[in-house]
Amino acid sequence: MNVRVVGCSHHGTPIELRERLAFGREETAEALDHWRRVFRNVEAVLLSTCNRVEVYAAGAAELPGGEQVAGFLARFHKLEPAELLPHLYAYDGPTAVRHLFNVAASLDSMVLGEPQILAQVKQAYQAATERDATGPLLHAAFQAATRVARRVATETAIHQHRVSVPSVAVADFARGVFERFDDKQTLVIGAGEMAEETLRYLRDEGAREITVVNRHFERGEALARTWQGRARPWEELLEALTAADLVIGTTAAGKAVVTLEDFRRVEASRRQRPLVILDLAVPRDFEAAIGGRPDVYLYSVDDLEAACRRNQAQRDKELPAARAIIEQETGRFMAELYRRASGPVIQQLKDGWQKPKEQELQRLLARLPGLDQRAQDEIRLAFDRLLGKLLHPPLESLRDESRNGIPHGLLDALSRLFRLKD
Amino acid sequence: MLAGVHIICFAASYSIVLVLEISRLVFRSGVRGAVMLAFAGAGWIAHTAFLYYRASSLLSSSQDWYLLAAWVLVLIYLYLTWFHPKQHFGVFLLPLVLGLVATARWFADPQPLAREPVSQTWGIVHAVSILLATVSVLVGFAAGIMYLSQVRRLKGKRTLLAPLRLPSLEWLERASGRAVVVSTLMMGVGLVSGILLNVINYRRHDPVLPWNDPVVLATLGMFTWLLAAAVFGGVYRPARRGRKVAYLTVASFVFLVIVLGMVLFIRTQHGRPRTAEPRATSFSILHPSSFILHPSSFILHPSSFP
């Protein structure tokens, strides 16, 4: 009974090879069907993301080794196994389980704590279950992985610290000012790449009213069309600023497009509504002094990057606590796995002693016909207690041995001593 | 068993919850939220039991009044924590709760207040409306302080995940604004019911509260302040925005503390047995002018509970 993972990841495999090894949804199903034909009685889950391709295998029988899995992957993708083999890693037993938990909890991700990986792990497990490729071991392992990932998310702040500029801008700053975005006016100045990324986050948060002001009206119009917003000519910038609640500056103007003097002109007509300015342009689109005005919350790209760095440092600080959870859960899972491996022998041992006990009990009761029910119950109880005491030392030894691995020697000895069948 | 509940039981529960709330600023825990709610819930049940077993004479003393205000505030805390578990409301609300409980325990008079032969209905209306006005002012104050903390953080470019987690400015502004409106309305109802109580007393030839009682004057000042703020906010939209509302709630809180302090520490006839005084012939409470010169019933504290 063992668990093994064979795969490659962003840690040591170039993206070109990862791309060639990646499995789409239909390919995953096809590969799992193929796996079941090739490796009978070996459970499998195929995890394929942009950063990793891994095969998790488990079973009571001998598991396919790294070379066999490499061959399987290479054949499927029409690659040479030799090309693949140097990039693959293979972990067994507790190391494999620990790796799965690390992956699910996003401790092995390129961006530590990124939240998508858990959903991808769940999808991989779901796909394997649908193809009937999973069994009791991988069911237990992947369900435990989900639980461990949630535990890490709850007990540490590793997932909460965003590390990309647009996500920090929206979730950590704009969200601090506004409760909702669907009734807010978003103004995009310029049509830079950053604007698109930030708008994606804002749209997820519910932003609907988007206005784009760009020097080249056509480009602004194209961006506005993408986000179902509207474009306004450059000359109407200050007018648009009056109506805006949230502004994203992304021009490549080379100097501030809104000066403090400009802002003072629109300030009165804004009637002190809060204004969040995400100035993602370099050089900046807004004069820094505007941030000093009441009810204006101005964040430059430097501010946002500094926040990202602080968040990344916070994530790193959470790492030891997350690792401790993984260690604890790995130990717990493996102990359960080993206990499960000893289960059939324990059951056989108990069952094997029950029969002679019952025979002797019946013989004794038949020879003592005058006993009342209470006396019979007492004798029955005494037999049960005697059996329990006799079985206790070997079972306890078995449990003790199971803590560090499957006690093959002891199981074998017990089977032979008590003539237990397989 | 619950009949034996003492103030210290629920005060201890609330103190533990406050410590747990503060510990959220320092480290994370998966079970703390549930433990906090359990302690707060247990404290609130004990608090309810304490008030219930005094039901025969509930709100008959200054002490009861403070405890009931704390009880309502805890209920608000439980509601907010249940529906917004990630926000640190407790750090701001629980000190107010403990302040009310501590005042009830050490400063407020447990002796029954003056039982004047007045309309019971108006007495209850007066007591409850003033109590709700007080709670609204306290909630508004907490929201105002949270608003100012959040502004400071956002201006300082610190992320929302900095240890103290607060709702958005928009949410806090709305909460503060509503607290101002509710406290003004409740204070208005409390004042009108107080006037009616005094009118009834006058007609029955019972003692009335003098118009120049310090509590009356302070309460009138506070109501005028709240009313002016609410009217100004209604007429001039920017006044309802941002830091103005927050400062308004803080100022209201200061007024409240002054008025409550007067009730507790300054010589006042408010809430104390009064002897009949000879009535001024020229400024009778029933005379129209008396509402200007003799606002004897402007009562903040529920002195006239039946």
Side-chain angles (χ1 to χ4, degrees):
Chain A
M1 193 174 273
N2 198 4
V3 182
R4 175 172 292 162
V5 57
V6 180
C8 63
S9 73
H10 60 94
H11 288 303
T13 309
I15 189 165
E16 294 76 20
L17 185 59
R18 295 205 310 269
E19 279 171 354
R20 288 164 69 196
L21 272 177
F23 289 85
R25 198 182 174 82
E26 285 175 11
E27 286 174 313
T28 302
E30 196 186 325
L32 287 168
D33 289 344
H34 186 53
W35 176 278
R36 289 182 59 216
R37 285 194 297 275
V38 177
F39 305 110
R40 289 181 185 280
N41 301 322
V42 178
E43 304 173 29
V45 170
L46 181 53
L47 174 64
S48 176
T49 71
C50 49
N51 286 327
R52 68 184 66 245
V53 175
E54 290 174 338
V55 180
Y56 290 85
E62 184 74 13
L63 297 177
E67 285 187 23
Q68 284 172 288
V69 176
F72 172 82
L73 292 172
R75 271 194 302 280
F76 192 88
H77 287 291
K78 298 180 177 56
L79 298 167
E80 282 301 316
E83 189 183 352
L84 198 57
L85 213 49
H87 297 284
L88 290 186
Y89 46 77
Y91 306 129
D92 283 331
T95 317
V97 171
R98 188 180 296 111
H99 178 78
L100 171 61
F101 290 175
N102 274 319
V103 169
S106 185
L107 303 189
D108 197 56
S109 298
M110 189 179 273
V111 178
L112 184 69
E114 54 100 357
Q116 290 86 5
I117 185 66
L118 181 58
Q120 289 167 330
V121 168
K122 281 187 196 167
Q123 279 165 11
Y125 167 59
Q126 184 73 28
T129 305
E130 280 169 13
R131 306 313 294 182
D132 210 16
T134 48
L137 284 175
L138 287 186
H139 279 312
F142 276 78
Q143 281 163 12
T146 306
R147 196 189 63 245
V148 172
R150 287 204 187 114
R151 213 186 132 195
V152 169
T154 313
E155 295 179 27
T156 73
I158 209 151
H159 296 277
Q160 294 180 5
H161 299 282
R162 293 165 186 85
V163 289
S164 76
V165 166
S167 65
V168 165
V170 175
D172 285 0
F173 290 115
R175 260 249 170 260
V177 178
F178 301 123
E179 188 63 15
R180 47 192 284 198
F181 290 91
D182 58 343
D183 59 348
K184 304 292 179 301
Q185 294 281 343
T186 302
L187 169 65
V188 180
I189 307 175
E193 201 176 291
M194 238 8 172
E196 287 229 44
E197 273 189 60
T198 312
L199 281 173
R200 196 167 294 122
Y201 277 96
L202 278 171
R203 184 67 94 182
D204 289 346
E205 293 285 343
R208 296 284 169 270
E209 302 292 328
I210 294 164
T211 304
V212 181
V213 175
N214 194 40
R215 276 190 201 279
H216 301 284
F217 186 74
E218 292 74 23
R219 279 192 65 192
E221 209 171 26
L223 180 66
R225 208 178 301 121
T226 310
W227 296 98
Q228 292 93 46
R230 67 185 186 118
R232 292 181 75 165
W234 185 254
E235 296 69 37
E236 294 178 13
L237 174 60
L238 291 185
E239 204 177 309
L241 191 60
T242 308
D245 299 297
L246 199 152
V247 181
I248 306 167
T250 63
T251 72
K255 61 171 187 165
V257 294
V258 181
T259 61
L260 180 60
E261 203 178 315
D262 293 333
F263 189 76
R264 280 186 196 279
R265 276 192 289 180
V266 299
E267 201 170 19
S269 44
R270 289 190 50 78
R271 298 175 72 83
Q272 296 174 23
R273 277 181 300 120
L275 177 65
V276 174
I277 303 171
L278 305 174
D279 192 348
L280 308 179
V282 180
R284 288 177 289 184
D285 280 344
F286 287 79
E287 261 186 17
I290 295 171
R293 303 300 303 155
D295 302 311
V296 175
Y297 303 92
L298 170 62
Y299 304 101
S300 71
V301 96
D302 281 354
D303 299 328
L304 296 170
E305 278 176 354
C308 288
R309 281 196 298 277
R310 283 199 300 270
N311 283 358
Q312 187 62 57
Q314 284 296 321
R315 279 191 178 188
D316 293 345
K317 261 172 64 180
E318 296 287 329
L319 203 52
R323 294 255 189 251
I325 293 170
I326 300 283
E327 276 312 306
Q328 189 191 34
E329 291 286 347
T330 304
R332 190 178 293 172
F333 180 83
M334 292 312 294
E336 176 60 24
L337 190 70
Y338 299 146
R339 196 193 59 75
R340 201 184 284 195
S342 310
V345 171
I346 293 171
Q347 196 57 48
Q348 280 183 40
L349 202 56
K350 282 181 177 172
D351 293 346
W353 284 52
Q354 277 294 332
K355 198 176 168 188
K357 184 205 83 176
E358 280 300 322
Q359 283 171 346
E360 285 305 308
L361 189 61
Q362 292 308 322
R363 195 187 66 82
L364 180 64
L365 293 177
R367 294 187 65 164
L368 299 169
L371 292 177
D372 59 11
Q373 189 59 44
R374 189 163 171 270
Q376 286 187 23
D377 289 345
E378 280 299 323
I379 291 173
R380 209 176 282 279
L381 185 66
F383 269 65
D384 284 339
R385 285 169 61 87
L386 180 65
L387 188 59
K389 285 182 177 174
L390 286 172
L391 279 172
H392 182 73
L395 294 185
E396 198 61 21
S397 302
L398 205 50
R399 281 195 197 102
D400 287 346
E401 285 293 306
S402 297
R403 286 194 188 121
N404 302 316
I406 300 172
H408 291 292
L410 196 55
L411 288 173
D412 188 47
L414 282 171
S415 301
R416 288 170 63 189
L417 277 171
F418 295 100
R419 294 177 180 275
L420 304 176
K421 293 172 189 168
D422 281 340
Chain B
M1 187 181 76
L2 287 172
V5 170
H6 191 264
I7 289 179
I8 202 73
C9 301
F10 50 87
S13 291
Y14 300 151
S15 303
I16 290 169
V17 181
L18 178 60
V19 170
L20 289 171
E21 282 277 6
I22 292 168
S23 76
R24 293 172 78 186
L25 309 179
V26 184
F27 66 92
R28 291 174 60 81
S29 163
V31 294
R32 182 176 37 211
V35 175
M36 265 166 39
L37 277 173
F39 268 103
W44 187 76
I45 289 168
H47 197 154
T48 310
F50 183 85
L51 292 171
Y52 175 80
Y53 283 102
R54 295 164 66 98
S56 58
S57 57
L58 185 64
L59 277 176
S60 69
S61 70
S62 172
Q63 187 180 66
D64 282 2
W65 189 85
Y66 280 98
L67 289 176
L68 197 60
W71 183 86
V72 177
L73 211 51
V74 174
L75 196 59
I76 291 168
Y77 163 73
L78 282 169
Y79 172 84
L80 290 172
T81 306
W82 181 264
F83 288 104
H84 306 274
K86 288 184 177 170
Q87 314 293 355
H88 295 177
F89 291 110
V91 175
F92 297 88
L93 285 175
L94 290 172
L96 298 173
V97 169
L98 290 172
L100 287 170
V101 173
T103 308
R105 172 67 182 80
W106 284 296
F107 302 111
D109 193 350
Q111 296 305 313
L113 293 160
R115 287 174 175 274
E116 292 153 353
V118 293
S119 159
Q120 287 213 351
T121 309
W122 285 114
I124 289 168
V125 169
H126 177 69
V128 171
S129 54
I130 294 292
L131 186 136
L132 292 177
T134 303
V135 171
S136 299
V137 169
L138 293 176
V139 170
F141 171 68
I145 293 293
M146 282 190 259
Y147 186 97
L148 295 173
S149 308
Q150 184 75 312
V151 166
R152 194 178 153 82
R153 164 191 291 170
L154 288 165
K155 283 279 188 187
K157 304 180 198 304
R158 290 194 295 274
T159 66
L160 293 180
L161 293 167
L164 190 65
R165 297 181 73 168
L166 298 170
S168 67
L169 292 181
E170 189 177 6
W171 193 96
L172 291 167
E173 184 184 285
R174 202 167 52 232
S176 307
R178 284 178 185 170
V180 169
V181 171
V182 171
S183 53
T184 309
L185 283 174
M186 288 296 114
M187 190 64 80
V189 173
L191 279 171
V192 170
S193 52
I195 290 168
L196 285 169
L197 281 172
N198 244 12
V199 169
I200 293 166
N201 281 346
Y202 183 86
R203 281 184 175 164
R204 291 181 180 182
H205 300 286
D206 288 325
V208 292
L209 190 64
W211 69 271
N212 58 351
D213 188 281
V215 172
V216 172
L217 294 177
T219 310
L220 184 62
M222 181 171 174
F223 176 68
T224 310
W225 159 262
L226 284 171
L227 189 64
V231 170
F232 186 55
V235 176
Y236 180 58
R237 199 171 164 75
R240 276 179 284 168
R241 294 237 164 86
R243 275 176 277 198
K244 288 187 189 64
V245 181
Y247 290 136
L248 194 65
T249 57
V250 174
S252 302
F253 176 75
V254 172
F255 260 112
L256 181 70
V257 170
I258 291 170
V259 174
L260 294 181
M262 282 180 165
V263 174
L264 291 170
F265 303 115
I266 290 180
R267 275 181 67 114
T268 169
Q269 290 192 44
H270 188 268
R272 291 184 174 82
R274 290 186 288 275
T275 51
E277 290 170 1
R279 299 236 163 96
T281 50
S282 54
F283 296 125
S284 157
I285 194 165
L286 292 180
H287 192 276
S289 63
S290 67
F291 286 98
I292 304 165
L293 295 172
H294 195 221
S296 55
S297 329
F298 292 170
I299 307 161
L300 171 72
H301 203 269
S303 61
S304 315
F305 305 146

